[in-house]
Amino acid sequence: MRKKIESLLISACTESFNKNSIQPRDMSLLFSESRVSPDDDACQVNGTCRGCGNSRLVSILSLGDMPLANAMTHSRTTTEWDRKYPLSLAFCPDCTLLQIRETVSPRILFDEYLYYSSYSDTMLSHAARLAEGLIARCHLTGQSKVLEIGSNDGYLLQYFMRAGIPSLGVEPARNVAAVSSKRGIPTLCAFFGRETASQLAARGECYDLILALNVFAHVPDLNSFLEGVRILLRDTGTAVFEFPYVRDMIDGREFDTIYHEHLSYFLVTAAVSLFARHNLEVVDIWRMPIHGGSLRLFIKHRGNGKRTKIVHDLLEREARDGLLDPEYYLDFGNVVEGLRRETLNLLQSLKHQGKSVVGYGAAAKGTTLLNYYGIGIDILDYIADRNPHKQGRYMPGNHIPIVAPSRIQETRPDYVLILPWNLRDEIITQLSFIREWGGRFIIPVPSLQVI
């Protein structure tokens, strides 16, 4: 019966793509490709590797019990979205995948999602350049087809649509998918994996370009996801993945990248192994500065592309520099603890001097940093954010109020702590007016800076 219902729904979805319609809320539940079923507990602890199934995982870091990174509450007294779950990092010595042990149900994480990519000028600029480059590199025309998995509010697909290239977004968060649909971008509200891909393929769908930008780390079942990509990628097509690079995360002390939505953290070695398991080959890699250091992987069906020298070089460097061994990661916890003490000493000293401190950017990474450091409203008066969907809410765990950026102009704080430090240049430019009253910026990661 369930299969019949899914078949009817996917038929309705496909027929309505040209109408840019959003699907019913229950669509994301029917197409969920996670390991967590509706009857399971909200959080499960994985005893085996998400990539290869190895049971001998090596513990690297525990952040204790943490709230969900994007579960901004409507009230300081509410507990509905203020639940906390364990958050710990582990390394697989067999396939070199770095991962958190816990899996919170995707239905809880993504049913209503408050991250909208279009509120970041940096992300929009990155998306525009990427689309222009891929259209040229992949020789895309009006006869080509593009699929983006985790398409968010359409911030990237809009540039392909403007170029006259038929595109489809797959986005599990119903509220975000609705925004994309209203912008004229065909959007299927669903989780992506083998089952969803098979349903689309049965309708004759295949794609010249498949995009998965900053979504692969969110996927509970990596192998189902990659099998879905293999099914839908045209024989001569290209898939492009972007995700933060483990080397940059560890070397840059980017512990705040760790939260329940980010299940996996990739070396080139781990990624190449995973793709190969599904007859997909990494043929080229670009290192990108975005998000504190990321990788952009170009993927082809095995045998349909020649691997570039940079792929071989990165694989060799990871082996040579010890990144394939657990020992490389074991001191990460001590390094993070040192950064915590340094930051708290500064903030407490400023408050003791009577200085006012506020935050900027109610980002997911901010939830990890603030809760692990133990920073609350005794230190930060509020956190300003451009996203109107977050304004009027409270940060998870510590209940710091989230306000519009105009509050900074009104209250004239002495210091602004930039939580999405990966967007520091953009934010410093936006808030340059604080220099009028001698205001200064605090950058917490990768090293503590006062600007």
Side-chain angles (χ1 to χ4, degrees):
M1 183 63 179
R2 181 177 185 271
K3 292 292 184 182
K4 182 177 180 180
I5 293 173
E6 289 177 348
S7 179
L8 291 172
L9 283 169
I10 194 69
S11 176
C13 292
T14 307
E15 290 168 1
S16 64
F17 286 164
N18 293 332
K19 299 178 183 178
N20 306 319
S21 63
I22 188 66
Q23 303 310 312
R25 177 178 179 178
D26 287 346
M27 178 67 72
S28 61
L29 305 186
L30 286 169
F31 285 107
S32 175
E33 299 279 357
S34 73
R35 292 178 180 173
V36 183
S37 72
D39 297 324
D40 287 332
D41 293 337
C43 181
Q44 292 184 330
V45 178
N46 296 325
T48 59
C49 174
R50 299 177 186 277
C52 69
N54 169 40
S55 61
R56 301 182 307 278
L57 299 180
V58 180
S59 295
I60 302 298
L61 171 70
S62 174
L63 294 174
D65 289 345
M66 300 287 285
L68 301 181
N70 280 298
M72 283 76 180
T73 61
H74 292 279
S75 166
R76 273 185 172 153
T77 60
T78 186
T79 58
E80 178 184 1
W81 292 105
D82 221 15
R83 292 167 292 184
K84 293 186 177 182
Y85 305 94
L87 185 59
S88 58
L89 192 66
F91 177 80
C92 176
D94 281 13
C95 72
T96 74
L97 183 66
L98 198 63
Q99 57 206 280
I100 64 170
R101 291 180 180 271
E102 298 77 20
T103 300
V104 175
S105 170
R107 296 180 293 108
I108 295 174
L109 292 173
F110 301 113
D111 187 46
E112 182 183 16
Y113 198 49
L114 294 177
Y115 178 76
Y116 293 79
S117 299
S118 291
Y119 288 109
S120 168
D121 295 339
T122 299
M123 290 301 297
L124 288 174
S125 176
H126 178 74
R129 291 193 304 271
L130 174 60
E132 181 181 9
L134 289 176
I135 290 170
R137 177 177 178 136
C138 300
H139 308 291
L140 301 179
T141 69
Q143 304 304 311
S144 307
K145 296 177 72 174
V146 175
L147 173 71
E148 184 181 11
I149 307 165
S151 53
N152 200 262
D153 59 5
Y155 79 104
L156 174 58
L157 284 185
Q158 63 179 327
Y159 298 109
F160 292 95
M161 298 284 288
R162 290 176 190 175
I165 300 169
S167 303
L168 171 67
V170 177
E171 170 56 50
R174 58 188 177 87
N175 59 315
V176 180
V179 171
S180 178
S181 181
K182 288 177 182 177
R183 298 174 68 176
I185 298 168
T187 304
L188 171 64
C189 186
F191 287 99
F192 183 83
R194 180 189 298 107
E195 189 173 354
T196 305
S198 296
Q199 294 281 351
L200 286 168
R203 300 288 301 179
E205 298 292 330
C206 63
Y207 298 90
D208 302 279
L209 175 64
I210 296 179
L211 301 163
L213 309 186
N214 296 300
V215 65
F216 198 38
H218 296 69
V219 175
D221 192 338
L222 298 170
N223 290 292
S224 175
F225 188 95
L226 290 181
E227 187 62 14
V229 171
R230 185 197 65 78
I231 289 169
L232 291 177
L233 185 64
R234 197 182 298 277
D235 289 345
T236 57
T238 300
V240 177
F241 281 60
E242 276 189 20
F243 41 72
Y245 187 24
V246 160
R247 178 165 210 156
D248 293 326
M249 183 184 96
I250 298 297
D251 294 351
R253 305 194 285 187
E254 300 168 8
F255 76 96
D256 53 349
T257 301
I258 304 168
Y259 43 91
H260 295 100
E261 292 171 22
H262 285 175
L263 304 172
S264 303
Y265 307 82
F266 299 94
L267 290 172
V268 174
T269 302
V272 167
S273 174
L274 264 170
F275 284 103
R277 194 172 294 128
H278 299 274
N279 288 316
L280 297 169
E281 186 168 10
V282 179
V283 296
D284 197 8
I285 298 176
W286 294 4
R287 292 193 68 174
M288 314 292 295
I290 197 165
H291 296 306
S294 298
L295 296 174
R296 178 182 294 169
L297 275 60
F298 296 85
I299 316 297
K300 306 282 281 187
H301 285 290
R302 181 177 290 170
N304 283 356
K306 184 178 180 181
R307 181 172 288 180
T308 60
K309 183 176 182 296
I310 185 63
V311 180
H312 295 288
D313 288 346
L314 286 170
L315 289 169
E316 290 176 3
R317 285 179 210 160
E318 289 178 356
R320 180 193 66 206
D321 297 341
L323 276 76
L324 311 189
D325 301 317
E327 289 74 16
Y328 186 88
Y329 308 92
L330 292 178
D331 195 43
F332 189 49
N334 293 330
V335 171
V336 170
E337 178 59 22
L339 188 58
R340 185 186 75 88
R341 288 195 300 268
E342 183 183 7
T343 304
L344 284 177
N345 287 340
L346 171 65
L347 294 174
Q348 290 166 352
S349 174
L350 292 175
K351 297 300 287 187
H352 183 72
Q353 297 170 41
K355 303 296 184 181
S356 58
V357 186
V358 304
Y360 188 91
K365 57 170 59 346
T367 297
T368 295
L369 186 145
L370 295 175
N371 282 276
Y372 181 67
Y373 283 9
I375 296 173
I377 55 176
D378 56 325
I379 293 179
L380 296 184
D381 299 336
Y382 58 80
I383 294 173
D385 197 284
R386 291 176 69 187
N387 185 343
H389 302 280
K390 295 182 179 181
Q391 295 165 14
R393 297 190 183 220
Y394 297 86
M395 288 294 287
N398 48 43
H399 296 179
I400 300 172
I402 303 169
V403 303
S406 58
R407 182 72 66 85
I408 294 177
Q409 188 82 55
E410 296 167 3
T411 60
R412 300 166 71 90
D414 298 302
Y415 292 85
V416 176
L417 174 66
I418 298 179
L419 295 169
W421 49 265
N422 54 308
L423 303 176
R424 54 178 285 176
D425 293 340
E426 174 186 336
I427 293 169
I428 288 173
T429 299
Q430 290 172 4
L431 303 184
S432 60
F433 58 80
I434 74 170
R435 296 191 177 99
E436 296 172 8
W437 60 81
R440 305 177 76 182
F441 297 101
I442 300 173
I443 313 297
V445 177
S447 59
L448 185 64
Q449 299 179 61
V450 179
I451 300 176

